[in-house]
DNA sequence: CCGTTTCGTAAGCCATGACTTACCGTAAGG
DNA sequence: CCTTACGGTAAGTCATGGCTTACGAAACGG
């Protein structure tokens, strides 16, 4: 799953709350919904989105669906963030070069 | 700035595009807007949001405002992501304990 | 000085998506 | 069986927020 998906999905506060609720460990839907400011169907909808994004996984246990965290779903987002630090040095180098030949006239880029 | 802010702000595709545009280096507004699917005012609005979130910074240079990346703005989000890996071991340990005394009756949590 | 470039802000429109209630299956249990 | 717990899905409402056009203000250039 692309980092864009994780970003979009985790942007919603309620959905993030659902997600964080699963840090403690696997949990059935009704238990997640309890202590949450929204209705149970709303939680179900959030869980579906989280599952489609690969951020949680679901297993059936009789009548209940037990949801649990999928930390690998965060991997791509983490990598994306890391990539910014990677090219920090690169950007610095480029800017240093530019400064050297103090090109002022066409410095706007693009 | 809290990680929630970075998450919310970077969730929008267009705004993310603006943000990524600055990876190459500082850039005035009109240059960012060029080659973007939206109008210049839209870009300005995105830049304001990004600035308020501490993800970019702005410096005046004559009539133009030069925007540049602020990688520190991503730090909290990175830490938040990292924290999930931190408690992965912890959760594993807890679950292991639970399995040991095979507590079945009150396993639902909460 | 007047026109042009650069940019921010205001107002208004409209699509997206989060939430609700209502309903329908399935499993457990008397 | 019939009832109750559990949970997914549908339909409809409504607020959030991203986009546009229009305008105003500051610097630059002839």
């Amino acid at each position: 799953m692309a980092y864009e998906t994780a970003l979009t999905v985790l942007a919603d506060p309620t959905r993030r709350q659902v997600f964080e609720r699963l840090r403690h460990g696997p949990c059935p839907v009704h238990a997640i919904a309890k202590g949450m400011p929204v209705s149970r169907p709303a939680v179900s909808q959030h869980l579906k989105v989280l599952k489609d994004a690969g951020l949680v996984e679901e297993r059936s246990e009789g009548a209940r669906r037990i949801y649990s965290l999928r930390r690998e779903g965060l991997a791509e987002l983490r990598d994306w963030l890391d990539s910014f630090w990677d090219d920090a040095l690169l950007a610095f180098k480029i800017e240093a070069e530019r400064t050297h030949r103090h090109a002022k006239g066409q410095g706007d880029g693009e």
Side-chain angles (χ1 to χ4, degrees), chain A:
Chain A
M1 212 56 52
Y3 70 87
E4 292 98 330
T5 310
L7 224 35
T8 308
V9 163
L10 291 175
D12 183 75
T14 309
R15 193 154 45 220
R16 210 162 44 226
Q17 200 176 339
V18 170
F19 188 62
E20 298 228 38
R21 176 65 173 78
L22 295 173
R23 290 181 89 149
H24 316 312
C27 204
V29 178
H30 70 100
I32 301 177
K34 177 172 303 191
M36 193 122 330
V38 298
S39 69
R40 184 198 47 78
V43 173
S44 261
Q45 287 161 7
H46 282 305
L47 283 169
K48 175 174 176 43
V49 174
L50 285 167
K51 192 175 117 190
D52 289 347
L55 290 169
V56 303
E57 56 191 357
E58 177 239 311
R59 124 184 79 99
S60 279
E61 188 168 296
R64 11 203 168 160
R65 316 292 175 82
I66 311 293
Y67 284 87
S68 50
L69 230 58
R70 255 190 97 253
R71 291 179 174 78
E72 312 115 74
L74 296 173
E76 290 210 31
L77 179 53
R78 244 183 73 100
D79 290 345
W80 182 66
L81 287 182
D82 285 344
S83 73
F84 279 92
W85 297 103
D86 287 347
D87 61 27
L89 293 178
L90 195 66
F92 178 67
K93 211 178 84 177
I94 290 173
E95 195 171 88
E97 281 178 34
R98 189 139 69 185
T99 304
H100 262 251
R101 40 180 156 98
H102 41 68
K104 176 176 164 286
Q106 62 260 13
D108 274 8
E110 219 71 343

